Amino acid sequence: MPKFPTLDDIDVRGKRVLLRADLNVPVKDGRVTDATRIERLAPTIAALIAKGARIVVMSHFGRPKGRPDPGLSLRPLIVPLRQALGGREVGFAADCIGEPAKQLVAALRPGQVALLENLRFHLGEEANSADFARALAELGEVYVDDAFSAAHRAHASIAALAHLLPAAAGKLMEAELDALSAALEHPARPVLALIGGAKVSTKLDLLRFLVGKVDVLAIGGAMANTLLYAQGTAVGRSLCERDMAENARQILALAAEHNCRVILPEDAVVAAELASGVAAQTVAIDAVAADMMILDIGPATVARVAAALDESRTLVWNGPLGAFETPPFDRGTRAVAEKVAALTRAGRLRSVAGGGDTVAALAAAGVTDELSYVSTAGGAFLEWLEGRELPGVAALVAAARQD
Ligand code: 3PG
Ligand code: MG
């Protein structure tokens, strides 16, 4: 990871700081249903308050496509943000640029916090427009990016803006990048990557990158069915991308070239349909009946993954290993999550996980706080696992070079 400036490198006292956050949190009926991203942002705001900055929080929310949409306003975020800041007042501007924003920002005193309306109400945000970035830059003197989970978007508040003001990473951005680079750039070996989820087609680049980086690749979830099918195993009525068989074989060949050991399911929990409480059976992987669906990894596979984890020092995990939302098909993911938690607790494994479904599965298993690091990012975590340069990170690194 090239060097990027952090809060320690910039002077913010008395200054107006434009803080790019990711407040794109799940909201239902006007209420935030998971405040993780807000809670993880709060220490950055607290640090800026302690330094006497005037803080202007900016974020996108949903995908309003460049037009104001009352259903995608950031207003419902004012109260949760205030709560996360120990009750501190949070001002609000009904537009992120122009007069409303200018007036709000002009009235801010050191230590005060304001939130701007959804950046994506303007087309310029997603277009990475220089004009829109300049309109934002007028509101502040310093730029801090704490939105790792949006760093894969080359949008104006993430890319163009970072070049217009002195820029630094916030504490959450710094923590994410430190944890992720410790897991793949200079990890303690052996490194095991545990990859699940439904489709191989969405994770081809990720698998290609990982087989060149890690020592062991363990695959679960429905995507494993495609790899099994590609090797000639009958998978019955399981979810399987038959048109991806050739890609799957290429990935297995690439893994062999790189001496990356691949663990595929050797047994499975099958049922006639995916429904809660349905009659499920455990079968060897070469004994899946034609009318059955593979819905979870079986106990022999769990044991094999657990044994590989025992021998590993670093884990990168993305994707559930079975249909974990529907019991009893959550068992495999849960058992592996508990094993990961136990090894991490014992100081034997550095464990890093990310991605929306993965985080939900870890939360369901009750182990989120026991892993070394759980990323707040979905798409950005996946792109990082593909070895891609994230525009938000690149902008911060470039800003460091400009200084
Ligand atoms: C996320 O929630 O993953 C980020 O905020 C990015 O949102 P987007 O996929 O709408 O760009
Ligand atoms: Mg940036």
Side-chain angles (χ1 to χ4, degrees):
M1 175 64 49
K3 272 274 153 259
F4 52 87
T6 68
L7 293 189
D8 295 333
D9 304 312
I10 47 166
D11 175 20
V12 298
R13 184 156 305 280
K15 290 188 181 157
R16 284 169 288 125
V17 173
L18 292 180
L19 174 60
R20 181 45 159 110
D22 187 352
L23 296 176
N24 192 28
V25 295
V27 171
K28 205 172 173 232
D29 303 326
R31 284 185 167 275
V32 173
T33 55
D34 177 2
T36 309
R37 282 183 179 173
I38 304 172
E39 287 154 13
R40 304 269 286 269
L41 167 72
T44 298
I45 300 182
L48 289 170
I49 291 172
K51 287 171 183 256
R54 305 165 200 251
I55 301 130
V56 184
V57 182
M58 319 176 282
S59 179
H60 70 286
F61 183 69
R63 293 176 175 171
K65 301 261 180 303
R67 278 190 308 270
D69 174 347
L72 294 176
S73 171
L74 276 171
R75 264 181 212 283
L77 273 294
I78 299 172
V79 170
L81 196 53
R82 190 166 70 206
Q83 280 162 357
L85 297 174
R88 192 171 281 261
E89 276 313 308
V90 175
F92 186 77
D95 193 350
C96 63
I97 55 170
E99 278 315 308
K102 282 185 190 164
Q103 281 170 19
L104 178 75
V105 167
L108 276 183
R109 290 194 300 273
Q112 288 190 326
V113 182
L115 173 64
L116 304 180
E117 183 54 290
N118 195 343
L119 293 160
R120 289 188 185 170
F121 285 178
H122 291 267
L123 276 173
E125 167 63 355
E126 293 189 57
N128 198 19
S129 143
D131 286 343
F132 181 66
R134 270 193 293 275
L136 290 172
E138 273 184 42
L139 301 171
E141 296 150 281
V142 172
Y143 171 74
V144 173
D145 187 357
D146 216 22
F148 173 75
S149 49
H152 57 320
R153 304 297 184 212
H155 295 172
S157 66
I158 294 165
L161 180 57
H163 300 279
L164 299 178
L165 296 173
K171 292 166 81 73
L172 174 56
M173 173 71 93
E174 191 185 351
E176 296 264 8
L177 293 175
D178 284 351
L180 302 192
S181 56
L184 273 195
E185 282 176 22
H186 39 81
R189 290 192 180 271
V191 184
L192 188 151
L194 187 54
I195 305 296
K199 292 184 170 173
V200 165
S201 55
T202 60
K203 294 192 182 169
L204 287 173
D205 288 341
L206 178 153
L207 294 172
R208 278 190 201 110
F209 178 68
L210 285 180
V211 295
K213 282 269 176 187
V214 307
D215 304 290
V216 184
L217 173 65
I219 299 181
M223 62 188 278
N225 302 340
T226 303
L227 286 126
L228 291 164
Y229 169 80
Q231 288 183 320
T233 304
V235 296
R237 288 173 46 243
S238 307
L239 193 60
C240 175
E241 295 178 285
R242 289 178 163 75
D243 56 338
M244 284 288 131
E246 188 49 41
N247 298 76
R249 281 190 289 269
Q250 279 167 9
I251 283 165
L252 293 170
L254 198 60
E257 248 171 64
H258 285 283
N259 282 324
C260 171
R261 182 159 76 93
V262 178
I263 300 178
L264 286 174
E266 58 190 73
D267 63 347
V269 180
V270 302
E273 57 170 334
L274 175 55
S276 195
V278 78
Q281 275 171 272
T282 299
V283 297
I285 208 65
D286 57 2
V288 176
D291 59 347
M292 287 286 164
M293 297 167 80
I294 300 173
L295 295 169
D296 196 9
I297 56 173
T301 308
V302 169
R304 170 158 307 198
V305 172
L309 284 167
D310 274 327
E311 287 166 16
S312 300
R313 306 267 314 276
T314 303
L315 168 73
V316 181
W317 186 356
N318 171 261
L321 307 178
F324 82 98
E325 307 92 336
T326 314
F329 308 110
D330 56 334
R331 282 190 195 150
T333 303
R334 238 173 234 279
V336 172
E338 280 159 14
K339 177 74 184 178
V340 168
L343 287 171
T344 309
R345 252 193 326 263
R348 290 172 52 193
L349 185 72
R350 180 195 283 270
S351 50
V352 175
D357 285 349
T358 318
V359 175
L362 293 171
V367 301
T368 312
D369 296 337
E370 300 196 46
L371 268 66
S372 311
Y373 196 79
V374 177
S375 177
T376 57
F381 184 83
L382 287 179
E383 290 200 20
W384 171 79
L385 275 189
E386 291 170 358
R388 287 164 66 158
E389 180 181 81
L390 305 179
V393 179
L396 287 176
V397 173
R401 289 202 193 102
Q402 277 166 18
D403 291 345

